[in-house]
Amino acid sequence: MFEAMVQALGNIASPTIWVWVSVGLIAGLLLGILPGISSLTGLTLFLPFVFRLEPMQALPLMVSMASVGYTAGSITAVLLGIPGEPANAATILDGFPMTQKGEGSRALGAAITASLMGGAVPVFLALAMVWAVMPIIMAVTSMDMVVVIAAGLVVIGVVAKGAMLKGVISGGIGLLISSIGLAPMTGVPRFTFDMPYLYDGLHLSPVAMGLFAVPPMIELALEGGESTLARSGAAAVKGMAGAWEGARDVFRHWWLWARSSFIGYLFGLMPGVGANSAVWVTYGIAKQSSKHPETFGTGNVEGVIAPESANNAKESGALLTTLALGIPGSAGGAIFLAAFIMLGFRPGPSMLTEQLDLSLTILILVALANIIAGAICFPVAPYLASIARVPGRILVPVVFVLIFVAAYASSGQMADIVVLLIFSAVGVAAKRHGYNIPALFLGYILGELFEQYLFLGLQLGGPLFFIRPIPLVIIFLVALFFAYRPLKGAIGSRFGRARTA
Amino acid sequence: MWPDKVGGAMVVKNMPGGGSLVATNFVYQAKPDGLTVGTANLGSGVISPVIMGDAGAKYDLKKMNWIGAYLSGGSLVVTLSTAKPYKTVKDLQAAKGLKFASRSPTAASTTYAALFFEVFGIDAKIVTGYQGGADMALAAKRGEVDGTVMPASGLPVYIDAGGLQKPVMNMDFARSEYFPDTPSLAESAKLTPQQESLLRLQNATGASDKAVFAPPGIAEDRVKLMRDAFDKIIGDKGFKTLNEKYFPIWTRPMSGAELTEYIDKTLAIPKSELDAMSALSKKYLAVK
């Protein structure tokens, strides 16, 4: 291990690596900030060029490009309510209201700091826990995954708090929407109307754009041409001081950051679960455990810290799974897998033994790329936050163009625009009638995974497939999670009464 | 290499969806001016939806202009989990209640697995719903399933990763060039005429060959130009070197005329054989 670490540090010290890291960072930041075009698109486009490069040229570029996409994606999520990458969707819920209140730079400061630390620190956790990775991945079977995903669905109940019935209905509609396409187990087409476009289900990008980005823009347009700042009545946009305040928020909520990063990392380790689930689970836990859950959705900085820590932290976990098992933990991981094979490496357990130096080099690059990306984004955050001063009559058309381009860019089909329009209408109607958009989105993204693993669980273990140690522990933890507050309240009031008496 | 051989630029557009159906429908309906060509998986992506009667396949295989194809040399092989005690076909025959992983009830891995169980009288069920080779290999490594069927070309990665063993059976008439020590199905058992025709049918529809095609109605001279360009590309030394290095599974090029004949033969397979194939798969599914 020591020798491998020395070798890895030697690799990092080479100046040429930094040229490739810089190119990857700039490309990753630009692609991440453009909604709809994710760093995944960049990786895919770059793949054909891998042939022509040496491993220590291609890998630094790809690793840095993949590592910083979520950091950049949080910028548009906070400032415009548009998720730069689908895994930034949860950041909108509190990040965008903060911008509307003139606290955009604070939200960005928090998002960038949480991303930077969420991306960098778990790498060291990964390095320290290389030996534990394989047993963890091997222990969790498809039967256990059903309960992991179900625990994610329970978050619907958390985000729906306050208007539970409408929240649960919204989540249910999301689940129904997730069933569009070929059934994962039987291959039977459902709600596809013989249209091959629908065979793979609805594309994530137009659905996310329609639900999250369009409704606030329509609201802004309907309420006249004022800027968001003028509408909210906030005094002014906070400058650099705001960004530092956001950074301090992360340290103030260090436990929230650490917990969310750890959950993100664990989700990354599990092949097939992905960042999209991790951000919502951490958001739900943040809300449930917050001292002020009622302020979530109106601009609580905790709602920014949790998902932004998780989505960056997930990458080091996913990368480790790809290296150790040759099994990609995410779509980005799949591209990496292809690149590794093209470069002549055979991902597998040997990456954690004979080729440990290469794995360590990659993990250290992830940490450094996150730190540099944070250092680049942080100083410009206050300037970007001034977008809240831009009058709606200018902002709305520009953002609408971005939304349409982003929805179309995901797969280049006109049907994506139709889906965008339909989900924009759904988003506006849901907002107007008090239905819960995050619950709907959560049902939509987790529904397919839940169904896939549920059927696998039933086929493998029968109806009582969850009577196993891991599922039972998770069920117990979820029950504890919900019972914690009422129990604490009950015990507190009892002891309080006892003391008064 | 297309622009080098034909002149002019080529814009490549990735059209995901429906396992090649979106792209194939798009090409079929494109303007017949010879400026649009498509490429997709021939067996599973283009032919199979038509012969299985998928309503989403809005194209006529007989009218499509076939430019050429690259057939994969690799067949599908039966491979077992390293987490289980089974090493040979005999071990499997002696076991009860085995589980094999597959993607879906109509996937090639399902049909081949069903044929394997039927030929050797193995007591097993096929668990469907896995996302692909990597997912199935992980399930095997965890001991969730006892084995799976996958392309021989893709297996070495998973053997190295420690989840799957060297194959016990090559599901073809001859041995695989990837695993020359593994016996083929045809040499290991006396197949009934129906089993033999099922193997032939599955080889035609399930293989992951790449075809290049253009919409119907294109002027003949333009089709000729496209076919010639394809032939020139596959004959190019630089292309061959790249292909051998990075895509060693594409070993058998096919001209446009040969491909047209191949399609006609596949379309002539009687419906009764297709029904037999589907009934056999169904027999071994964990959930029907």
Side-chain angles (χ1 to χ4, degrees):
Chain A
M1 177 86 179
F2 179 72
E3 268 176 39
M5 185 56 104
V6 171
Q7 175 71 37
L9 291 173
N11 287 341
I12 304 286
S14 153
T16 52
I17 275 199
W18 292 96
V19 176
W20 295 98
V21 167
S22 312
V23 176
L25 274 174
I26 293 165
L29 288 173
L30 288 176
L31 291 167
I33 211 165
L34 289 172
I37 305 167
S38 63
S39 51
L40 182 65
T41 320
L43 286 175
T44 318
L45 290 174
F46 177 71
L47 201 56
F49 300 100
V50 168
F51 288 132
R52 296 166 207 275
L53 298 177
E54 293 295 317
M56 277 305 140
Q57 296 173 329
L59 289 178
L61 192 150
M62 292 183 76
V63 166
S64 45
M65 197 194 293
S67 306
V68 301
Y70 297 131
T71 309
S74 65
I75 294 174
T76 48
V78 167
L79 297 179
L80 300 170
I82 302 176
E85 311 239 356
N88 296 114
T91 312
I92 295 173
L93 301 188
D94 286 281
F96 189 53
M98 285 181 80
T99 300
Q100 289 172 316
K101 290 194 287 187
E103 291 189 322
S105 53
R106 181 181 167 201
L108 279 181
I112 293 166
T113 310
S115 295
L116 183 160
M117 288 170 40
V121 179
V123 168
F124 299 102
L125 182 73
L127 291 173
M129 286 182 56
V130 160
W131 57 272
V133 166
M134 291 288 271
I136 292 177
I137 301 170
M138 285 302 117
V140 184
T141 66
S142 297
M143 290 175 273
D144 309 322
M145 286 302 293
V146 186
V147 184
V148 173
I149 307 289
L153 281 172
V154 167
V155 174
I156 289 178
V158 181
V159 291
K161 254 186 184 171
M164 192 56 92
L165 181 64
K166 284 184 174 177
V168 172
I169 292 174
S170 310
I173 293 172
L175 283 173
L176 266 180
I177 293 168
S178 79
S179 71
I180 294 174
L182 299 180
M185 188 194 67
T186 58
V188 171
R190 295 181 302 204
F191 310 115
T192 55
F193 309 103
D194 291 346
M195 286 189 275
Y197 171 83
L198 294 173
Y199 278 22
D200 297 334
L202 295 174
H203 296 168
L204 193 57
S205 197
V207 173
M209 296 284 163
L211 288 177
F212 291 106
V214 172
M217 285 300 131
I218 288 184
E219 224 164 61
L220 193 59
L222 287 177
E223 288 179 14
E226 288 181 344
S227 67
T228 49
L229 192 67
R231 266 176 71 217
S232 70
V237 176
K238 290 178 181 170
M240 203 60 208
W244 282 115
E245 198 182 333
R248 276 195 296 276
D249 281 326
V250 179
F251 289 99
R252 217 171 285 144
H253 298 285
W254 69 271
W255 175 234
L256 170 70
W257 165 82
R259 207 174 49 200
S260 308
S261 300
F262 185 66
I263 295 172
Y265 172 71
L266 279 184
F267 268 70
L269 280 182
M270 298 300 147
V273 186
N276 295 330
S277 323
V279 291
W280 290 101
V281 170
T282 49
Y283 184 87
I285 296 176
K287 184 176 177 182
Q288 179 73 7
S289 58
S290 170
K291 284 182 185 141
H292 304 287
E294 72 287 350
T295 59
F296 270 65
T298 61
N300 186 330
V301 74
E302 292 169 58
V304 175
I305 297 169
E308 283 307 316
S309 318
N311 59 24
N312 281 50
K314 181 227 117 207
E315 279 308 307
S316 49
L319 209 52
L320 208 57
T321 308
T322 309
L323 289 168
L325 286 174
I327 289 165
S330 62
I335 309 272
F336 269 105
L337 187 66
F340 286 140
I341 294 170
M342 284 180 185
L343 291 167
F345 298 114
R346 277 281 172 86
S350 65
M351 293 295 284
L352 301 184
T353 51
E354 292 123 66
Q355 301 197 67
L356 186 61
D357 58 322
L358 179 74
S359 303
L360 295 181
T361 308
I362 291 171
L363 287 171
I364 295 170
L365 279 171
V366 171
L368 291 174
N370 271 295
I371 293 169
I372 300 170
I376 294 173
C377 292
F378 197 82
V380 292
Y383 303 101
L384 295 171
S386 303
I387 203 156
R389 288 185 219 271
V390 177
R393 61 178 179 279
I394 296 171
L395 190 69
V396 172
V398 172
V399 173
F400 261 116
V401 170
L402 272 177
I403 291 171
F404 275 77
V405 170
Y408 182 74
S410 62
S411 79
Q413 297 179 54
M414 279 312 286
D416 285 334
I417 300 293
V418 177
V419 173
L420 169 72
L421 292 173
I422 291 171
F423 277 87
S424 301
V426 170
V428 170
K431 209 164 181 189
R432 186 154 283 195
H433 297 286
Y435 284 87
N436 195 310
I437 295 173
L440 191 152
F441 190 66
L442 195 59
Y444 156 68
I445 54 170
L446 289 183
E448 191 186 341
L449 276 177
F450 180 67
E451 190 188 359
Q452 181 204 338
Y453 284 115
L454 177 66
F455 278 118
L456 279 174
L458 285 168
Q459 289 177 88
L460 292 163
L464 295 175
F465 64 85
F466 54 89
I467 308 293
R468 295 163 47 81
I470 293 176
L472 291 176
V473 168
I474 295 171
I475 292 169
F476 174 73
L477 288 176
V478 170
L480 195 68
F481 172 68
F482 277 100
Y484 172 72
R485 206 169 277 276
L487 273 178
K488 198 178 157 196
I491 293 167
S493 63
R494 195 174 182 144
F495 275 92
R497 265 205 305 276
R499 260 200 297 275
T500 332
Chain B
M1 289 187 172
W2 190 270
D4 294 343
K5 307 292 174 197
V6 185
M10 176 179 254
V11 180
V12 181
K13 188 174 178 185
N14 182 31
M15 293 192 85
S20 301
L21 276 183
V22 170
T24 313
N25 284 341
F26 175 83
V27 172
Y28 189 77
Q29 285 154 16
K31 214 170 154 189
D33 52 9
L35 294 177
T36 306
V37 284
T39 180
N41 275 350
L42 180 63
S44 57
V46 181
I47 301 178
S48 202
V50 172
I51 62 175
M52 294 298 179
D54 189 328
K58 298 182 193 305
Y59 51 87
D60 185 341
L61 289 172
K62 281 191 176 282
K63 288 186 185 162
M64 191 86 91
N65 274 305
W66 300 101
I67 308 302
Y70 233 98
L71 306 192
S72 68
S75 47
L76 274 81
V77 289
V78 179
T79 167
L80 305 176
S81 159
T82 47
K84 296 292 176 95
Y86 316 115
K87 306 265 180 243
T88 61
V89 176
K90 267 197 179 151
D91 294 343
L92 296 177
Q93 284 171 316
K96 289 263 171 274
L98 298 170
K99 291 188 185 95
F100 268 54
S102 181
R103 282 176 72 111
S104 72
T106 52
S109 47
T110 302
T111 324
Y112 280 121
L115 186 58
F116 175 68
F117 302 152
E118 184 76 4
V119 170
F120 294 101
I122 293 167
D123 177 26
K125 289 283 175 216
I126 301 164
V127 176
T128 58
Y130 289 98
Q131 294 295 293
D135 208 16
M136 299 194 293
L138 179 61
K141 188 167 180 157
R142 285 170 173 158
E144 211 172 283
V145 291
D146 301 288
T148 186
V149 178
M150 64 164 59
S153 55
L155 183 57
V157 176
Y158 304 121
I159 294 178
D160 285 355
L164 291 167
Q165 303 177 32
K166 279 191 178 162
V168 291
M169 189 60 55
N170 185 42
M171 296 302 289
D172 207 341
F173 292 96
R175 292 190 176 207
S176 156
E177 57 196 84
Y178 291 92
F179 299 99
D181 299 335
T182 303
S184 72
L185 182 68
E187 74 177 79
S188 308
K190 179 140 179 59
L191 301 178
T192 64
Q194 198 199 23
Q195 288 168 347
E196 210 177 298
S197 89
L198 284 179
L199 183 60
R200 194 159 285 126
L201 173 65
Q202 188 53 39
N203 284 356
T205 55
S208 50
D209 306 322
K210 288 274 180 229
V212 179
F213 45 88
I218 301 176
E220 262 178 40
D221 56 335
R222 294 190 180 200
V223 175
K224 188 177 176 312
L225 178 91
M226 292 159 102
R227 284 182 169 183
D228 289 348
F230 181 83
D231 292 346
K232 272 186 210 159
I233 291 170
I234 56 176
D236 188 284
K237 211 176 156 197
F239 176 80
K240 277 184 183 165
T241 316
L242 269 180
N243 188 54
E244 274 164 24
K245 188 168 176 196
Y246 298 112
F247 304 101
I249 63 165
W250 314 122
T251 52
R252 289 178 288 162
M254 201 180 232
S255 73
E258 286 170 328
L259 178 57
T260 309
E261 202 186 317
Y262 176 85
I263 300 274
D264 288 344
K265 267 191 193 163
T266 309
L267 289 175
I269 294 170
K271 192 175 176 300
S272 58
E273 284 191 25
L274 296 171
D275 291 343
M277 188 162 90
S278 153
L280 181 67
S281 299
K282 218 171 176 180
K283 183 176 165 187
Y284 290 97
L285 289 175
V287 175
K288 294 181 175 64

